[in-house]
Amino acid sequence: MDWINLAAATLRISAPLLLAGMAGLLSYQVGLINIALEGLMLAGAFAGVAIGYELGSTWLGVGGAVIVGAVLGAAFAFAVVTMRANLIVAGLAMNTFAVGGTAYLMKIIYDQSGTFTPEGLSKLPLLDIPLVEKIPVLGEVVSGHSPLVYISWVMVPVTSVFLYRTVVGGHIRAVGEFPNAAETAGISVKGMQYLALILGGALCGLGGAYLSLGNLALFRERMTNDRGFIALAAVYFAAARPKWTAVACLVFGFFEALQVRLQLRDTFLPNEFLNMMPYLMVVVALVLISVRKEWRKGW
């Protein structure tokens, strides 16, 4: 097996998971479970292709995906924060809306079903890192990716600094840990929750844009393929810490890249089992989370 290509593929596949993971982490920090990550990513993926095609610019499509994600994040915040809708119900409604809405718009606007591949719209250019690209092995792994791959990894330390080194980040964490005390101290609980969900929506939109514009220039129905739920599992597995959330996303990305390569080789494992591998890791992660909580209770 070509381990260099496997490592490079892991970085590419992990990119949307990282962006959605940071979005779920922000929501977690204000005490909210963002089940809508999947739908926000899917809406961003469609918006990226549609806006990029209509405006004739891939980068404008990326910007449009971020804006659409932020707007839908605000709508989700309005439902769960202002209207006090049930988090799970509202999240599932957003996911259902994204699945049905993108398929409907693709049919109504472009008369396409299943997959929409617009003519004249190109994917984002690959970015070679000067000097690094010439280093054996390292250059082959980390250089030559879509710009959004690098942005996704930059967002990990940015999110960490934002949460732990800024006043607003401190307010967000205070709202999640001690909402009553935060409100007494003059911190707007609803305001911080809105901020976290809107920023999370923007990150999900960016993750969706990577799926539809990062390596290809197309939109496919349900193309997020449960990545939002995998990212949410990574957040809980890492106890909402940016560094360990990134590690968890990388592990999930590795197993997805591995199963693709194993399918191309003659192995004794059936394809159904190989397809199941990334999701099996999610189940294992959730089991470990449950065991960890019970173990802590015992102490």
Side-chain angles (χ1 to χ4, degrees), residues 28 97 115 179 217 286:
Y28 184 98
F97 169 77
T115 302
L286 294 176

Side-chain angles (χ1 to χ4, degrees), residues 20 23-28 31-40 73 76 87-88 90-91 94-95 196-201 204 228-229 232 236:
L25 187 149
L26 289 171
S27 302
Y28 184 98
L32 300 175
I33 303 173
N34 197 344
I35 301 294
L37 296 177
E38 181 79 4
L40 293 171
F76 180 66
L87 270 172
I88 306 300
M94 179 65 76
N95 293 337
L197 291 175
I198 291 172
L199 290 177
C204 284
F229 297 110
L232 189 61
Y236 277 85

Side-chain angles (χ1 to χ4, degrees), residues 213-229:
L213 297 172
N215 293 316
L216 300 169
L218 61 84
F219 175 78
R220 187 176 65 250
E221 292 182 23
R222 300 175 182 267
M223 72 183 305
T224 47
N225 200 24
D226 296 328
R227 286 179 174 86
F229 297 110

Side-chain angles (χ1 to χ4, degrees), residues 87-283:
L87 270 172
I88 306 300
V89 173
L92 293 177
M94 179 65 76
N95 293 337
T96 303
F97 169 77
V99 171
T102 53
Y104 175 77
L105 290 175
M106 185 167 60
K107 181 66 177 177
I108 294 299
I109 299 175
Y110 301 110
D111 193 27
Q112 299 288 324
S113 297
T115 302
F116 172 48
T117 308
E119 295 183 3
L121 182 64
S122 59
K123 67 177 184 178
L124 292 172
L126 301 181
L127 183 63
D128 290 319
I129 304 175
L131 300 180
V132 174
E133 64 177 323
K134 298 180 180 180
I135 301 175
V137 180
L138 180 64
E140 296 178 72
V141 172
V142 304
S143 184
H145 296 292
S146 166
L148 296 187
V149 171
Y150 303 111
I151 291 175
S152 70
W153 284 97
V154 168
M155 288 309 302
V156 176
V158 167
T159 302
S160 182
V161 170
F162 173 69
L163 286 174
Y164 297 101
R165 295 291 186 270
T166 67
V167 174
V168 176
H171 289 177
I172 285 177
R173 290 186 293 111
V175 166
E177 295 175 6
F178 307 105
N180 293 332
E183 192 169 12
T184 302
I187 300 172
S188 173
V189 174
K190 290 185 177 180
M192 291 299 104
Q193 290 176 331
Y194 262 90
L195 177 62
L197 291 175
I198 291 172
L199 290 177
L203 288 172
C204 284
L206 190 60
Y210 172 78
L211 293 174
S212 59
L213 297 172
N215 293 316
L216 300 169
L218 61 84
F219 175 78
R220 187 176 65 250
E221 292 182 23
R222 300 175 182 267
M223 72 183 305
T224 47
N225 200 24
D226 296 328
R227 286 179 174 86
F229 297 110
I230 293 175
L232 189 61
V235 172
Y236 277 85
F237 180 76
R241 290 170 293 181
K243 177 176 67 175
W244 294 112
T245 299
V247 171
C249 290
L250 191 64
V251 170
F252 293 143
F254 169 78
F255 277 96
E256 186 171 347
L258 180 63
Q259 65 94 5
V260 171
R261 274 149 182 77
L262 288 177
Q263 286 182 344
L264 300 177
R265 299 168 62 91
D266 293 329
T267 65
F268 65 91
L269 297 173
N271 285 338
E272 291 77 10
F273 177 81
L274 296 177
N275 288 330
M276 183 182 68
M277 282 178 59
Y279 305 99
L280 180 62
M281 288 304 302
V282 175
V283 173

